[in-house]
Each structure stands twice: as C-alpha cells, then as structure tokens.
Amino acid sequence: MKHFDEFSRQEEYISPFDRHFRRLLRKTIEESIMPFRRQYDEDWKDHRLIEPAFDKIMVGLGLQKGLFPMEYGGMGLANSDYFFRAGYMVCEELGRADTGFAVALGVTYWPLLVISVEPYVNERLIAEFAPMFCNADRAVFAANAMTEPQGGSDIENLGLLGGRTIRTTARLEGDEWVINGHKLWPTNSGGVAKLFGVPCTTKPGSNDPKDFAFIYVPADLPGVTQGGAYEKAGMAADKNGDIWFEDVRVPAWYRAHGPGRDAEAFYQLVPFGQVMSCAFLTGAMMNLYERLYEFVSTRTYNNRPLKENDAIAGVIGRIAGDIDICRILGYESAMIGDRRNKPYGKPLISEDVVGRIRNIKDFVSDRAVDCFGKAMDVLGLYGADRDWDIEKHWRDIKIVQLWMGGKQLCQMEAARYFFNCETL
Amino acid sequence: MARNLDDLFVYPTQLLDEESLSVVRLVRQWSDREIVSKRMEYREGYEHLFAGKRKKLCIDIGLQKLTIPADLGGFGWNSPSKAPAMLALAFEIGRADASIGVLSVMPWVLFLMVTRQREHEEKLCSALASLYSEEAVRTPSLILTGPGLKGIQRPLFFSRSILASAEQSESGFTLNGKDLRPLIAGGLADFFCVVCADRSGKPCIAFVPGDAKGLQRGHSILMTGLNACGNSQIDFNSVTLPMENVVAQEGNLEELHTWVSLLLGGVSVGAAMNFFELLADWSESRTIKGGVLLKENPLCASVLADVACEIALSRLLLCDLAGIVAAQKESGPETIRRTFTYAGMIGHRAQKGAMHAMNRGLELMGSAGYAKEWHVEKHWRDVKTIQSILYGVAAEAPLKMDTARFFYNCTEI
C-alpha cells in the first residue's frame, strides 16, 4: 500500500462532494490544524490557536453553512442524496487531524438537522437561522443541549424511556415557550455556541412522545447562563460545560415541529451522531497508520526495522487490518443513512437503522480504542510522547466510545433489534 | 463510602513481617490523609502540592532511604526478601499518585542494583548512600534499552538495542550515547542508572551523576501521563566515570528489569485500586433507565465485575512475583533468568489488567470519567504511560521472545 487513502471504502459510495471537496479540505487541514495540534491541549480554555483554524475551516471553506439550502447561501447538503457520506468525508478528514475539531463541526450540524432533513423540514426556522451561519465572517457553532445531571444517557434512550426522565421544562405562555432546566456536557457549550437545540418536556414525568419538545434557544437570550469549559483528558478543541435555562423565553414557533414529530425528528440525531463518530474514528485511525508506519520503518528491534520482525508485523498487520475493516463499516453506516429516502432504505428513526448503526459504531469504537492502545505499546518509550501524535488520538478518541449513551446503550440497542428484546 | 481495600483485594500478608506491615500502614495513612481524601484540592493545586507531598513520603517518612543498607544509615531493605513489602508500598503510593509512586521506587531500584554485589561496589554504594540520606528529595532516573535506528547496528540485550556505550580506559570509563530516552525524570534526575555496552558489546550498567560533565538534557517531553516526573532526552558526550561506576556482573540487567516490572506493576495496580474506589462511589450515586441504581443493572454490574476482577487478579499475580523474588535462595544464572521471565510475564499481565480495568470503568462512567474533576482519567493516563514505557519498544514482542526462549529454548529469535 502506498498511501493511507488506499484503506478500503466502497467506491460506489463515494459522493460527488467527496470527489471535489476532499483534496481542498485536506490541504486546508494540513496547513491550519496539523502543524499546531500538539499545542491544543494547553489551549483548551482560551482557544487562541484553535479559533483561527475553525474560521478557516468553517467560514473559509463554508462548512458551517453546509446544511442550509442553496437559496439561503448554504451548500444544500441536508437534502442531497449524499448527506451522510458528505458528512462522513468531512469528519474523517478532520478526525485525521484532530477529533475534537471534527466533533465541534459535526455537532454544529446536529440540532440543525432536526429541521433540515426530509421528512422533517421546517422552512420558517431554516430561514430564521440561516443568516446566523451563512452570513457570518467568523466561525459560528450550534450545540445540542441534551444531557441532564441526573440522567446520563437517558435522553438518547428515547425509545425506552420516551422522555420520562427529562427535567428541563417548556411551558407555553401566550405565544412564547418558557424554558427552565439544567443541561451539561453538550459539545460547543462552555461559551462557544450561538444556538442551542434543547430537548424539553412539556409535561414532566410523561413518557408520551407528544410531550417531548425540541426547542431552539439563541445563546444570548436573557436567562441563559453558560459555565466555563470542563477540563478533560483530551478533545481540547471541543468545549463542554453546564448550561442553565431560567425562565428563558423564545417564540412559540421556535419549537421544531410540534407534538409527536419533535421526538421523531430528534431521534434522527442518534444515527447521524453514530455515523459521524465512526468518521472521527476512522480518520484518526488513518493518521495512526501514517505515524506508526514511520516509526516501525525507522526504528529497530534485533537490529532490524520493527516492521520486518515477524512478531511485530503480526501486531501492526492486525492494526492496519482493523483500520481497513472499520473504514468499510463506517462508509456502510453512512450509506445506511443515505438510503433513508430510497425504496430499499429505511427511515432514520427506524429500529433497523438505529440498531445497525449503533452496532457499527460500537464495533468501530472498540477497535479504535484497541488499535490506539496497541500502537502506543509498539512505540514503547515513545508511545506516550506528544510528538508522535498517537497518544493524543488515544486520549481524544476514548470519549467517542463513551458518548451518546456509551457502550452499554449501543449493546442494548443491538440486543433489542437483533433479538427483539421487549423489556430492556 | 469507606471500603476496606485489604478485605476486598486479598493480599497474602503472611509474606510481610510486622515491621513491614507497620511501614505499609504508615504509607497508607500518608496516602489517605495527604491525597486520597483531598482529591479535589490535590488536583487543582497539583503543581504546587506535588513536591510537598512527595517530600513527606521520601524524607519525613524516610522512604528515600528504604533500600540503603542499614549500616549506611538506611532501612536496610536491600534484599530480595523484602520484595513483598516493597510491592505493598508501591501499591499504596500508586493508589495516591502514580507519578510519586514511580519517582519513589526509583531510588529503591538504584540501591538494589548498587548493593547487589556490594563488595564490588562499596565505594559507589557509600557515596550514594550519603547523598540519598540527606534531607533533600533525590531523583534517580533509569535509561534502559530502547528501539534502535534503522541502519545502525547496536549491541543487544535479548534482542533489545543497547543505545549507550561505555569504553574502558586505564583510569575508568567513557560513556557515550545520543538521544537516549529515560523511563522517567530525565529532566529532574540527579543520578542516572544507564544500561550500556562495553567495547565487546557486553551489557553493563553505568551509574552517572546528574551533574557529570558531558551530560546534556533535551527539552521537556510532554507525555500522556506522569508529567510531574519531568522527562527529557539525554545525551552523554564522552562522560568520564570512575571504574566503580560501571558494573558488568552477570544477571545485572535481568535483575534490573525484574525489579522495575515488579515495582512499577505495583504502582499501576495501586492506581487501579483507587480507580476502583472512585468508580464504586460513582456507581452508587448514578441511575440509569429513569431511576435504577447503576450498579443494580445487570449489564453495568458485569462491567463493574470486570473492573474488580482485573484489579484483584493483577494484584495477586504481582504478589506471586514478589514471593518468587523473595524466595530466591541463590542467584545463579538459571534462577535469575527464570525470575526475569516471570517478572516480564506477570508485570506485563498486571499492567494490561490495570489498563483493561480502567478502560472498562471509563466506559461505564462516560463523560464523568473523561473529565479531570473525577480524577479517574489521570489514573488512566498515568497507567497507560507506565505500561507503554515499561516495555521499551515493539509492544509485547520482546516479552514474548523472552518467554519463548525460556520455555522452548529458542535460540534464533
């Protein structure tokens, strides 16, 4: 193999966007992120190095307007035939450099896709929010304010709990929603996001999906308070913090779709988030390959290059093999998403799609965590060394395995789907 | 919730005498009072508090002198029979802070090597004992074998590249080596224990003062964990050493590796034990599925079980290794080689077990495990760092080759 690009993916799945845009994106990433990424950990709080790179990627290349229709100045990806694969390509390329960067961009799409992807389109809200992203000369972020202090992954477990545990409330007063609650850990919180998508309940304790509301809240409204960014093991480009909503008032039409449809549209986030998680991981794994290739070709054991020792070759061969398989699976998961409107496809919110995609994400996450751990051991004394980049990816990608309900929810969704479990 | 770790994680206390047990209790008190019960304060003021906490352990309790012979003013634990007690201490210190753990066991290893055949090394031993008995915290560093560079043939220690050379002359030795990577503390060390090769390629160990002329330190290395240990690359540019500072006794390197595997294994498993405590607390305060206590969910309970099982078994394996080391009646080549092989196998398994436990536990804790606030991520990073650096290069391959050589008499690998 001559280049990391030769890791397998289904050629017929490659989108027109991929063919034209990937090279430009990679060049920009290699100029604006990769030379600086080893300093990102120390930049976790201020983003002095990170913000300019976001401007280049999100504004310079226009990616922050990717979802919006062309008539609003966007790229129209949300309703293209290749929305998931285009997202996969972008997140894979970014993940190769820095998964924190990739998630910050990917999550900006997250709340917006609730109103942008057929059959759940809200033209009025698209028109309302498009200028915020399409007419900006600085990077603009959105966040999905989902997780609550008491519940961990309960909100992602909508199929089982129906929103019963949500404590953030939305009360309709006249033509306004009044929102109260406390959210934590959203990507792009910690003072970054300009717009929140907020899952709320209109009737606390209810598990009726009709009482689930997804409401947009601009971050600068009175009553919205954001805490500082958490200090974490990695993922410095992705800020997370607490958000408090105290009698925050938004227009009634800021609710995504209305009773019942909000829950359905919101649930699309699960497959999208899981597919993009695969993209972050395969991107990082391809960079692992690049760095590992250099090390095993230039360093020796028994006075021969590491890669020429049969025992070591067995380990690195397996690592590369896993990357290859994970990339195939990742693109398959993206294609499952892009088949959503085809006669042979399934809706994004179907148990079939959610179960299969969660399963792929769980598998790819496990392989990624294992491959990075092994690669660090191959580097030995240098494995924990920032200069070899692998340890940064090792720290960063662990959270990808943990988020969105983590490994256990993935296992449960797979069991529910494959074994028709009825009580889990 | 307070837990009796000794009841949960069985330790064969019959391996410890009363004196050892009292030191272990003292160190646990230090750990609990100084660090474990003040996790948040310690985390937030890490750079400021670290040196003080370490000083209490090394100087006030006196662990810096642990393996200095008694007649030279130390505790006199410089015998393999004390391996179980030293391991028990490594568990306790690692439970508090892996960086302090790794730095604490380094002087023990240093004196275990220097006093191994004391009659040959009396002068060096006395000089070092005097230095390490002072009221200042001392930091030795180890430079073991590492990966070689393509195109450069190196002398080998069981196929691992020896990257420094010690050339003998009438007055002593001249040490050379470039871009050497210490296990830890290259930037801080006041003394280096360096694996090198003589002119014939025979492995030996050089003991090098930190202020030796010709010793050059590189920039600080940022690492996944153990950053308080201040590592940097080292060059030896024709460093001259007196004759007694280079020793080339048979089995030296094997014993060095054995002690490092045992004691760093103890530090990692100790860190994993505190990880267990933090995880257990967390699992008693979190609910899933709208109200079920996390630990009462069968899937989560099975993950919690994996964590406890890995830690308990890793600890037991290390105790077995300490027993093997302590039981050595003689130090012939066969015994040394057997112990070296077992140290590699068990040390590696223990590190993997600790890492596996933490990886599983983090899966359960989700983002809470990833935030620095809960401290578990620090243990996770520190132990991964120890695991990676300990085996030098090429993952498990060198260890597997050692094992294959021992069990199958392989001669070509």
Side-chain angles (χ1 to χ4, degrees), chain B residues 64-99:
Chain B
Q64 185 165 286
K65 296 190 284 188
L66 192 76
T67 51
I68 296 177
D71 61 312
L72 295 175
F75 283 26
W77 286 26
N78 53 310
S79 139
S81 66
K82 284 291 187 185
M86 280 187 265
L87 175 65
L89 292 178
F91 286 143
E92 298 300 332
I93 308 169
R95 179 174 159 255
D97 186 286
S99 287

Side-chain angles (χ1 to χ4, degrees), chain A residues 36 165 243:
Chain A
F36 309 104
T165 61
I243 310 164

Side-chain angles (χ1 to χ4, degrees), chain A residues 311-360:
Chain A
I312 300 163
V315 175
I316 60 174
R318 185 64 269 151
I319 290 173
D322 282 356
I323 298 170
D324 206 48
I325 292 167
C326 286
R327 198 174 192 218
I328 293 169
L329 287 174
Y331 273 88
E332 186 57 41
S333 71
M335 197 63 204
I336 292 173
D338 279 339
R339 287 190 195 112
R340 64 192 179 280
N341 295 327
K342 307 287 184 203
Y344 44 87
K346 300 265 174 61
L348 290 180
I349 59 173
S350 66
E351 273 188 11
D352 183 308
V353 167
V354 172
R356 285 175 196 275
I357 287 181
R358 269 207 195 272
N359 181 48
I360 291 174

Side-chain angles (χ1 to χ4, degrees), chain A residues 103-147:
Chain A
V103 68
L105 175 73
V107 165
T108 291
Y109 289 178
W110 224 12
L112 297 171
L113 72 82
V114 174
I115 50 169
S116 305
V117 177
E118 291 286 359
Y120 304 99
V121 174
N122 184 324
E123 288 287 353
R124 190 178 180 191
L125 284 176
I126 290 173
E128 175 77 355
F129 297 129
M132 185 186 285
F133 295 89
C134 298
N135 299 342
D137 56 5
R138 295 292 308 272
V140 177
F141 298 85
N144 197 39
M146 190 158 61
T147 304

Side-chain angles (χ1 to χ4, degrees), chain B residues 123-142:
Chain B
K123 201 170 163 188
L124 176 66
C125 187
S126 301
L128 270 177
S130 166
L131 194 66
Y132 276 72
S133 299
E134 290 173 1
E135 292 292 295
V137 176
R138 298 283 174 189
T139 305
S141 175
L142 283 182

